[in-house]
Amino acid sequence: MFLARALASLSLIALPLQAVAAQTCRVTPAFTRADERGTKRVQVYQAAAEGTTGTALLFVSALKVNTDGTRISYHIDDPQAQRLAINNIANAMRRNVPDKVATFRRLAAAGFPAPATWQALLPNVIEADRRTGKPCLDADRYLVSKTSDVAIDGGHARDGDCTQAKWLDALDVNALVLPSGRTEFSARGADNRTPVVAMTLGTRRLAYGLVGDKGPTDELGEASVAMNRTLNGLPPTERPANYRDAVARFQAPRSVILLLPGSSNRVARPLSGATVTAATRAQFERWGGQARLERCLTAIPEAR
């Protein structure tokens, strides 16, 4: 009897940190964030550090679809995204602009005059040509769409060169959008390139990504086309045909979102779908993997 107990204790000591961490998850409410333009609040939880794995942040959301950073997001000749683009230009414009699509059409017809153009368009969504000050257009008349982070080192210094490839591609990279500015997320070390794991509450399908963009302060729960596609189990080559299709087929079901904050955890550039998935998967397994995440869910009422 004594020997058996001693051997059991030794075997527990010999377990790797990942296995021990997977057995525990102490979850407590951390803060709430506004969502749906401030009409609701989302509870964000923290999972206490176990060993050296660090404190994680978790919340539950049905992720909305973000298209920024991909080449086909917005098109000058298809502002309502019915046949060429996959996002309505209204989503790249300031909220106080009345009749957004009509305003965009007038600006485009006038050659995008300053300052009216940037009083309507969001400069953190649509790239401005540093030579002309007008919105960047590629050879096929798609507007160059930005994200708050870049895929390559030195990419931010190239803002204004009208090259789409320096931004994170929403069709390729699993990316979460966090509220912009100084927030409870950033205060806890969750920022651009923080590893993110999303898991559907029904099918338990996993998507490995990172924080790749910043959005309105009164919204939470938006992710790239790629992350939503993964959570829906769609083929990796599948992409929306237009804006309506993006909303109808790509919005993910209710999922738990896990962030692994800290500067040492951030995913290194260059960033692509493959490199982000591999790096975040490795971080997730060190944290405790799906076994630990499942234990965390038992303490989150929204996940039941």
Side-chain angles (χ1 to χ4, degrees):
M1 179 77 70
F2 177 81
L3 180 59
R5 287 178 180 168
L7 288 174
S9 298
L10 286 173
S11 64
L12 179 60
I13 293 171
L15 281 173
L17 176 61
Q18 172 187 327
V20 175
Q23 297 173 17
T24 57
C25 188
R26 294 182 287 119
V27 173
T28 55
F31 56 89
T32 65
R33 283 297 309 184
D35 194 15
E36 302 293 350
R37 296 200 172 190
T39 62
K40 63 178 290 189
R41 305 289 298 184
V42 175
Q43 178 68 59
V44 180
Y45 297 86
Q46 60 186 12
E50 304 290 347
T52 60
T53 55
T55 300
L57 297 174
L58 306 96
F59 64 93
V60 172
S61 175
L63 293 171
K64 297 177 282 291
V65 182
N66 181 273
T67 70
D68 294 337
T70 196
R71 174 178 174 270
I72 62 172
S73 190
Y74 307 100
H75 197 284
I76 189 173
D77 302 319
D78 185 26
Q80 292 177 291
Q82 296 173 328
R83 53 191 177 84
L84 298 170
I86 60 173
N87 203 341
N88 191 310
I89 195 63
N91 291 317
M93 301 180 74
R94 301 180 188 273
R95 286 185 180 175
N96 63 353
V97 176
D99 202 355
K100 293 180 174 57
V101 171
T103 297
F104 177 81
R105 291 187 193 276
R106 286 195 298 272
L107 291 169
F112 292 113
T117 293
W118 299 109
Q119 291 170 349
L121 288 176
L122 290 167
N124 63 326
V125 177
I126 302 299
E127 185 172 355
D129 188 325
R130 67 164 68 108
R131 299 165 303 173
T132 66
K134 299 179 186 296
C136 290
L137 292 175
D138 72 8
D140 297 316
R141 294 173 63 81
Y142 284 96
L143 290 97
V144 176
S145 172
K146 299 171 60 173
T147 48
S148 66
D149 207 351
V150 288
I152 56 174
D153 286 328
H156 283 299
R158 292 175 51 186
D159 193 354
D161 70 0
C162 296
T163 303
Q164 184 67 68
K166 64 183 174 292
W167 306 110
L168 293 179
D169 189 343
L171 292 181
D172 179 51
V173 178
N174 292 337
L176 179 73
V177 181
L178 285 184
S180 59
R182 182 70 176 169
T183 68
E184 299 93 338
F185 284 105
S186 60
R188 289 167 171 79
D191 211 327
N192 285 337
R193 293 187 286 121
T194 291
V196 173
V197 179
M199 183 178 75
T200 57
L201 294 177
T203 60
R204 296 307 205 243
R205 188 175 286 115
L206 290 161
Y208 304 97
L210 81 176
V211 176
D213 207 356
K214 299 293 179 61
T217 58
D218 56 2
E219 297 280 356
L220 179 65
E222 189 174 347
S224 65
V225 175
M227 179 168 274
N228 278 272
R229 178 178 60 211
T230 300
L231 293 173
N232 277 305
L234 296 171
T237 56
E238 194 76 9
R239 69 184 196 179
N242 49 44
Y243 178 60
R244 180 175 293 182
D245 186 44
V247 174
R249 283 199 306 131
F250 284 78
Q251 180 166 314
R254 288 179 69 250
S255 304
V256 58
I257 315 301
L258 169 78
L259 296 94
L260 299 173
S263 57
S264 62
N265 289 344
R266 290 177 189 161
V267 181
R269 302 186 186 98
L271 302 173
S272 68
T275 61
V276 168
T277 293
T280 295
R281 188 197 301 265
Q283 292 273 17
F284 182 54
E285 293 305 321
R286 283 194 289 272
W287 178 80
Q290 187 171 353
R292 185 176 178 193
L293 181 56
E294 293 282 359
R295 292 184 65 85
C296 291
L297 293 185
T298 64
I300 298 177
E302 296 89 343
R304 296 169 192 163

